[in-house]
Amino acid sequence: MTNKEGNMDSKQLEKRKKVLLDLMNDKIYVPMKIKELAIILQVSKEERPDLELVLNELLAEGKIEISKRGKYKIAKEKTVTGTFVTHPKGFGFIEVEGRDDDIYVSEENIGNAFYGDVVQATLISGTTGKRQEGRITQVISHTVTEVVGIYEQSKHFGFVIPDNQKILQDIFIPQECAKGAVNGHKVIAEITSYGSSKKKPEGRITKIIGHISDPGTDVLSIVYAKDLPFEFPEKVLNQAERVKGEVSEADMQGRLDLRKVPMVTIDGEDAKDLDDAVSLEKDGNIWHLGVHIADVTNYVQENSALDWEAKKRGTSVYLVDRVIPMLPRRLSNGICSLNAGCDRLALSCLMDIDEKGKVIGSRIAETVICVDQRMTYTSVKKILEDQDAEEIEKYQEFVPMFEKMRELSELLRKNRHARGSIDFDFPEAKIILDKKGKPVDIRPYEANTATKIIEDFMLLANETVASEYFWQEIPFLYRVHDTPDPEKIQALAEFIRNFGYGLKGVQDEVHPKELQKLLSRVADSPEEALISRLTLRSMKQARYSTECTGHFGLAAKYYTHFTSPIRRYPDLQIHRIIKENLRGRLNAERIAHYQEILPEVAEHSSKTERRADEAERDTDKMKKAEYMQQHIGEEYEGVISSITSWGMYVELPNTIEGLIHVANLYDDRYYYNENTHEMVGSDLGKVYKLGQSIRVRVLDADKENATIDFVPAAIWE
């Protein structure tokens, strides 16, 4: 088995492995010990180490296995079950629950699987880790039953080209199943056959959304593609219509009357669902802060049609041209909205705060309130930041309270910073549309003193409520943010060493203060954008849970969502628990009830939140691409926000992001250095780095695929 020098080269090794596998695959073969294999293969004592080497190689590749009695045999095929997700380039991945790494499936091993299918696959021997490969052997069930796309008409049939690029096949539509659709219609097609390797999937059109040139059709297509509940069932609307539009004397009975306490709402100019009001007084060194939240549960009873629909939706969805509310507008914009000058039912978190910013006493109470003034972020900013004389004159009776609010807000923010709360300052986009839904301007939406005041007060109320109910040991819903995976923090620590930065506690459990310190050190440096983004990517996603495990990003031990019951179901759910507790009705039976239902509520609410985020992100990307279609050939200054093997993403000051494909870096042959996150030119040695400023020209923009392509302006010239 060896060459003249007594060593086995790679070709010999592969040959011996094949011989051994052929032997072990033989039908008459039974598991054998190494001695028996040596006899069959006529291996001498001197060549036994070579046989052991071959066996160890095959064991490492997973092609053979060894029994407890030391007998070698062909390894049993290992199978996995998971969700199949395709890639636009033809291959795909199987997402397996409880497994960190997805299973890679090459195009030839996909079989008849369709995007989103629950499949069973055999793991291919010799592939491990992140490159573990599989072969789909069975489609267990189909999860995608409808497709949103553009209809293309032929003489006797048609096709639906899916909007989702991960759905690789067009859907064949027989003429009699077209429902009158014509070229350019955005449609919903129900899949009637998933096809095969020789036959396209087939379907029938169930709804015509509109023509691609009609205003709003583009956004509505995403709404349907994400399966967002859009229209309220008639039963839900009827129930909302029966709700009284005014607060009665009977409604106020037993409630703490705060109608004479000065209070305001502070929201955006366009907001109509005002679910939080604030009041603030100071007595000596003690602040008396009131956060007053609409008592939605008074109008949405448990297990009613309104409640089931709110739970189904999970959250309101704020898209670029519309809001899809969690509750019918009669409630969200009417009796549940804390409109100025109207008596409203509320659940108030009343907090006493000392001069150090510590909550020294609190009370949660059912109240009746009357908001004195509906303020906007813009107006409060003009008063506190711009010292606008006209605005100060207009709201003069509230100006002293606003000044106190700013003082307390700064104190609370300072305290959060001291304990390690992490603040990522990435601007959101404000997309301005004309009457036809066309984007006419895009600019960053920046935080100001007014937005910070409301944020700080809501965070404190959420922490206060969470702390109180944690210590009462009552079933509850918490907003949790888990500690990052040590591997990701280790990778971040290794990378930032290139810039002279370090992280403590990487080997164990990193404290949020360490990440906060890192962000403070990189502030205003050339690498700020780079390190901030990598830090964000190293963290986990916040979610809802029945376990109070803390909020890493806020460095908070206790945190919940209490302040937005009009637009978030978890807030509505915990209001119900709080009110039952305040009224002494949380007996053993009700506690058992909540223990049973809350885990599912937490999981479902987390899913609907992610769905809403995806829809908002997709509509923003689409409108940004549409906006840039009007600016092809123009030049902009940007910052390299991400680098991959296929190119570099550049973000403009107005938050628009586009790709410089590696093929468009034609002044050199570039490769991606994964360790340093750099794009490096092979011949000339030019280096592009994350966070680097770069002037780009708009090469192309595609609204349908929501993509924007840039090219370096210097190369273009």
Side-chain angles (χ1 to χ4, degrees):
M1 292 183 73
T2 57
N3 57 26
K4 291 181 180 180
E5 286 73 31
N7 299 315
M8 199 179 344
D9 60 30
S10 58
K11 287 185 179 180
Q12 287 177 311
L13 179 60
E14 290 305 315
K15 184 178 179 181
R16 297 302 180 190
K17 283 160 61 177
K18 186 177 185 306
V19 169
L20 192 53
L21 278 178
D22 288 344
L23 168 68
M24 297 174 77
N25 272 313
D26 195 293
K27 291 180 181 179
I28 63 170
Y29 169 78
V30 291
M32 295 184 186
K33 290 189 176 183
I34 192 168
K35 288 182 180 179
E36 297 166 313
L37 288 169
I39 293 170
I40 292 174
L41 292 169
Q42 297 181 339
V43 174
S44 66
K45 287 185 178 180
E46 291 76 17
E47 294 177 314
R48 277 281 295 274
D50 291 339
L51 177 58
E52 290 178 4
L53 173 62
V54 173
L55 288 168
N56 288 335
E57 284 279 324
L58 292 171
L59 281 169
E61 293 173 4
K63 293 177 179 176
I64 66 172
E65 57 190 25
I66 187 169
S67 70
K68 291 180 180 179
R69 296 184 178 183
K71 292 188 175 184
Y72 293 89
K73 59 182 179 179
I74 291 291
K76 291 181 181 178
E77 286 191 323
K78 295 180 181 178
T79 60
V80 294
T81 301
T83 302
F84 178 58
V85 180
T86 45
H87 188 279
K89 291 186 177 180
F91 55 85
F93 297 92
I94 300 171
E95 299 172 347
V96 181
E97 188 175 353
R99 183 184 178 115
D100 291 335
D101 300 317
D102 298 337
I103 308 299
Y104 172 79
V105 183
S106 61
E107 190 170 358
E108 59 268 25
N109 288 324
I110 288 175
N112 295 330
F114 192 84
Y115 171 80
D117 284 353
V118 176
V119 299
Q120 187 175 78
T122 299
L123 298 182
I124 297 173
S125 299
T127 61
T128 58
K130 291 185 178 180
R131 200 55 182 176
Q132 176 75 69
E133 294 186 28
R135 181 186 302 107
I136 294 175
T137 55
Q138 181 185 357
V139 174
I140 297 172
S141 63
H142 301 294
T143 56
V144 176
T145 58
E146 292 182 332
V147 170
V148 176
I150 296 177
Y151 181 72
E152 284 199 359
Q153 188 177 17
S154 294
K155 189 173 182 180
H156 300 296
F157 56 86
F159 286 97
V160 173
I161 303 171
D163 287 352
N164 187 346
Q165 290 183 304
K166 292 181 179 179
I167 298 177
L168 306 178
Q169 309 99 318
D170 297 341
I171 311 300
F172 174 79
I173 307 293
Q175 190 173 34
E176 64 273 17
C177 298
K179 205 176 183 179
V182 299
N183 276 330
H185 265 148
K186 275 290 182 82
V187 300
I188 301 174
E190 179 188 357
I191 301 173
T192 56
S193 169
Y194 288 83
S196 65
S197 57
K198 296 180 180 179
K199 185 180 178 183
K200 281 185 175 291
E202 189 171 316
R204 66 183 186 90
I205 293 174
T206 57
K207 185 177 183 65
I208 297 173
I209 299 171
H211 197 273
I212 54 173
S213 60
D214 294 339
T217 296
D218 50 4
V219 174
L220 206 51
S221 297
I222 293 175
V223 169
Y224 283 111
K226 294 295 181 184
D227 197 25
L228 291 167
F230 183 58
E231 297 173 343
F232 285 100
E234 187 176 350
K235 186 176 181 180
V236 174
L237 291 174
N238 290 339
Q239 200 170 82
E241 284 298 320
R242 291 195 293 270
V243 174
K244 290 183 295 184
E246 295 181 0
V247 175
S248 67
E249 287 297 326
D251 291 331
M252 300 182 197
Q253 292 301 311
R255 289 177 175 265
L256 179 63
D257 193 340
L258 299 179
R259 284 177 289 179
K260 292 184 179 180
V261 174
M263 64 179 68
V264 297
T265 59
I266 307 177
D267 292 275
E269 279 85 350
D270 301 331
K272 294 180 176 64
D273 51 348
L274 314 178
D275 51 10
D276 58 85
V278 289
S279 61
L280 183 65
E281 297 173 346
K282 194 172 185 182
D283 182 11
N285 291 326
I286 304 299
W287 306 88
H288 302 293
L289 173 64
V291 173
H292 314 277
I293 309 301
D295 186 359
V296 180
T297 60
N298 193 77
Y299 308 102
V300 181
Q301 305 299 318
E302 185 176 23
N303 290 326
S304 65
L306 279 166
D307 184 45
W308 280 105
E309 184 67 19
K311 180 186 173 185
K312 175 185 174 183
R313 294 178 177 230
T315 180
S316 295
V317 186
Y318 295 84
L319 303 178
V320 65
D321 68 340
R322 72 194 71 200
V323 176
I324 303 175
M326 184 179 79
L327 298 171
R329 284 184 171 82
R330 177 171 171 79
L331 295 181
S332 62
N333 296 358
I335 191 65
C336 292
S337 183
L338 305 182
N339 301 326
C342 301
D343 290 347
R344 289 291 185 259
L345 304 182
L347 207 55
S348 299
C349 181
L350 308 170
M351 295 162 280
D352 298 327
I353 305 165
D354 66 17
E355 68 275 13
K356 294 181 180 179
K358 183 180 179 182
V359 177
I360 56 174
S362 65
R363 177 187 178 188
I364 303 170
E366 292 183 75
T367 59
V368 55
I369 64 172
C370 183
V371 170
D372 294 279
Q373 188 66 53
R374 191 259 203 251
M375 298 297 300
T376 66
Y377 295 127
T378 302
S379 289
V380 176
K381 174 187 177 292
K382 285 181 178 179
I383 293 168
L384 296 178
E385 288 185 27
D386 305 336
Q387 295 296 304
D388 186 292
E390 186 178 337
E391 212 73 10
I392 290 172
E393 174 67 24
K394 184 177 180 180
Y395 300 110
Q396 56 181 319
E397 62 180 303
F398 299 103
V399 171
M401 182 168 69
F402 295 148
E403 290 173 342
K404 290 188 181 74
M405 285 181 175
R406 174 172 59 183
E407 185 182 347
L408 178 58
S409 170
E410 289 173 350
L411 178 59
L412 296 175
R413 190 163 287 255
K414 179 182 175 183
N415 284 352
R416 278 208 318 278
H417 188 271
R419 76 186 186 199
S421 179
I422 304 169
D423 183 21
F424 289 101
D425 191 21
F426 295 124
E428 296 181 6
K430 186 171 181 63
I431 302 175
I432 312 299
L433 307 179
D434 64 15
K435 292 181 180 179
K436 294 183 178 180
K438 299 285 185 182
V440 294
D441 190 20
I442 298 176
R443 52 179 180 262
Y445 181 84
E446 296 180 355
N448 57 43
T449 299
T451 59
K452 289 177 181 177
I453 285 172
I454 294 303
E455 179 185 358
D456 294 333
F457 290 177
M458 297 305 122
L459 287 174
L460 187 66
N462 285 335
E463 287 188 53
T464 301
V465 172
S467 175
E468 180 166 330
Y469 275 78
F470 172 78
W471 289 108
Q472 288 190 55
E473 298 184 346
I474 289 172
F476 212 62
L477 280 175
Y478 298 95
R479 181 69 168 175
V480 301
H481 186 215
D482 296 332
T483 303
D485 289 326
E487 298 84 8
K488 290 188 176 181
I489 294 298
Q490 181 70 47
L492 175 66
E494 290 175 3
F495 175 73
I496 63 176
R497 285 197 199 105
N498 297 321
F499 298 91
Y501 301 107
L503 281 175
K504 293 181 181 178
V506 173
Q507 300 299 329
D508 303 308
E509 192 173 280
V510 69
H511 191 278
K513 196 168 186 66
E514 279 304 306
L515 298 183
Q516 181 211 73
K517 286 178 181 177
L518 172 64
L519 296 178
S520 297
R521 289 198 296 270
V522 302
D524 300 323
S525 69
E527 58 270 14
E528 179 183 9
L530 157 63
I531 293 177
S532 294
R533 290 179 186 279
L534 291 178
T535 302
L536 179 61
R537 290 169 191 168
S538 72
M539 298 171 69
K540 292 187 176 180
Q541 194 171 33
R543 58 187 173 85
Y544 296 104
S545 174
T546 56
E547 300 295 323
C548 185
T549 56
H551 196 292
F552 179 84
L554 293 172
K557 290 182 179 179
Y558 319 101
Y559 196 67
T560 190
H561 272 171
F562 164 78
T563 55
S564 295
I566 289 178
R567 62 182 181 89
R568 290 190 306 229
Y569 191 77
D571 307 52
L572 177 63
Q573 182 65 78
I574 69 165
H575 277 219
R576 205 168 271 145
I577 296 170
I578 291 169
K579 286 177 66 176
E580 285 194 54
N581 186 45
L582 292 175
R583 296 176 181 184
R585 297 176 183 172
L586 210 56
N587 55 30
E589 182 182 346
R590 293 302 292 167
I591 286 174
H593 166 70
Y594 284 121
Q595 286 174 333
E596 180 182 354
I597 70 168
L598 289 182
E600 194 274 331
V601 171
E603 183 179 359
H604 178 71
S605 297
S606 297
K607 287 180 179 177
T608 55
E609 178 188 44
R610 288 193 292 273
R611 180 180 65 180
D613 287 344
E614 288 172 5
E616 291 168 19
R617 194 162 51 244
D618 287 353
T619 51
D620 280 5
K621 286 174 66 177
M622 178 184 65
K623 287 299 179 183
K624 287 177 178 180
E626 184 181 5
Y627 177 77
M628 294 308 282
Q629 283 178 334
Q630 309 162 44
H631 299 276
I632 291 173
E634 296 181 19
E635 293 187 6
Y636 298 90
E637 289 291 338
V639 172
I640 298 174
S641 56
S642 178
I643 301 179
T644 68
S645 58
W646 58 86
M648 307 182 299
Y649 290 90
V650 175
E651 185 175 316
L652 307 184
N654 62 2
T655 74
I656 287 176
E657 190 175 59
L659 172 68
I660 301 176
H661 196 279
V662 69
N664 291 323
L665 291 169
Y666 42 80
D667 61 334
D668 199 349
R669 293 180 299 111
Y670 287 86
Y671 68 92
Y672 173 50
N673 187 326
E674 190 173 1
N675 294 325
T676 60
H677 293 262
E678 294 175 342
M679 191 68 79
V680 182
S682 299
D683 300 330
L684 302 178
K686 187 173 182 178
V687 176
Y688 289 102
K689 299 182 179 182
L690 275 165
Q692 177 180 325
S693 295
I694 183 172
R695 189 165 184 82
V696 296
R697 180 170 291 194
V698 184
L699 185 65
D700 194 15
D702 185 339
K703 176 188 174 182
E704 290 302 320
N705 292 319
T707 57
I708 300 167
D709 291 315
F710 293 147
V711 65
I715 291 178
W716 184 279
E717 294 165 358

